[in-house]
Amino acid sequence: MGKIEWAMWANEQALAAGLILLTGGIVGVAGQFRDWEFAAYGIAAGVFVCLLEYPRGKRNKGTSVERTGQYCLTVCVKVFGPVTSNYFVRAGMHAAICIPAAFILSTVLGCVCLAIASIIYLTAAIHGEHWMPILPRKEPPKQSAGGIEEPPQNPPPRPPAEVRRKRLEDLEGAAYVNPIPVTANEV
């Protein structure tokens, strides 16, 4: 089994927590809940967490897929350097952000989700992970010379090449020999 990349899970959890916190804050403010000021804080905190967590980090394996339109936010997050790339700092920041959201019912779910993301980020930091930006490549990837020139003609499953029937065009003027002998009884 491969090594688990905790930061990937923490990123998805924190982004979902930010959206939940934002939604709960909107509900709290729109409903004029008692202590709705905490719900307004939930809106601001949810927007901040979403902007921080939207750009995915590069995976160690190199199989990272960036989110649509994440380049601008990647540049902004990269500017803050160790404050945003160190997962110990992110874990502490998310833990601190989620505390005021626990004081009103509409943002409690976002608070719990953000606390879980904070724990996962702490686990990622303990395992030595850190955020690396996914930036566009300077040169396009090189195509291998031994690539497939023509797509396959037969649907899968395809028999091995030596068992396949030869097409008449492929034989280039040679007489066609039926590889399966036909007896007079079968005709």
Side-chain angles (χ1 to χ4, degrees):
M1 280 224 86
K3 180 183 154 192
I4 294 175
E5 292 189 40
W6 293 98
M8 177 182 66
W9 296 103
N11 177 263
E12 296 294 331
Q13 178 71 26
L15 183 62
L19 292 171
I20 294 168
L21 197 58
L22 176 65
T23 305
I26 292 171
V27 168
V29 169
Q32 289 294 309
F33 286 15
R34 185 173 46 108
D35 296 330
W36 63 269
E37 293 84 5
F38 288 113
Y41 168 80
I43 293 173
V47 168
F48 173 74
V49 169
C50 287
L51 291 175
L52 177 66
E53 296 297 333
Y54 188 73
R56 278 190 183 130
K58 187 185 291 187
R59 294 183 63 196
N60 293 336
K61 294 179 182 179
T63 57
S64 306
V65 178
E66 65 179 300
R67 290 188 174 105
T68 305
Q70 92 169 28
Y71 178 73
C72 295
L73 290 174
T74 301
V75 171
C76 294
V77 170
K78 185 181 173 186
V79 166
F80 291 101
V83 174
T84 54
S85 65
N86 187 341
Y87 287 147
F88 282 114
V89 174
R90 275 200 193 190
M93 191 167 35
H94 288 325
I97 287 172
C98 77
I99 292 171
F103 293 116
I104 186 167
L105 185 61
S106 64
T107 58
V108 166
L109 181 60
C111 167
V112 171
C113 291
L114 199 57
I116 292 170
S118 175
I119 292 168
I120 299 172
Y121 266 130
L122 184 62
T123 305
I126 290 171
H127 284 91
E129 297 179 35
H130 64 282
W131 187 80
M132 295 177 295
I134 301 174
L135 297 174
R137 296 180 186 172
K138 302 289 188 254
E139 58 190 47
K142 296 178 182 176
Q143 297 289 335
S144 61
I148 299 174
E149 284 79 25
E150 286 186 31
Q153 300 296 323
N154 301 336
R158 295 178 193 91
E162 57 272 358
V163 179
R164 288 187 210 143
R165 287 188 151 184
K166 305 290 183 197
R167 295 187 322 177
L168 201 51
E169 300 87 33
D170 294 341
L171 295 176
E172 299 177 10
Y176 179 72
V177 178
N178 189 356
I180 303 173
V182 180
T183 60
N185 295 340
E186 292 178 7
V187 178

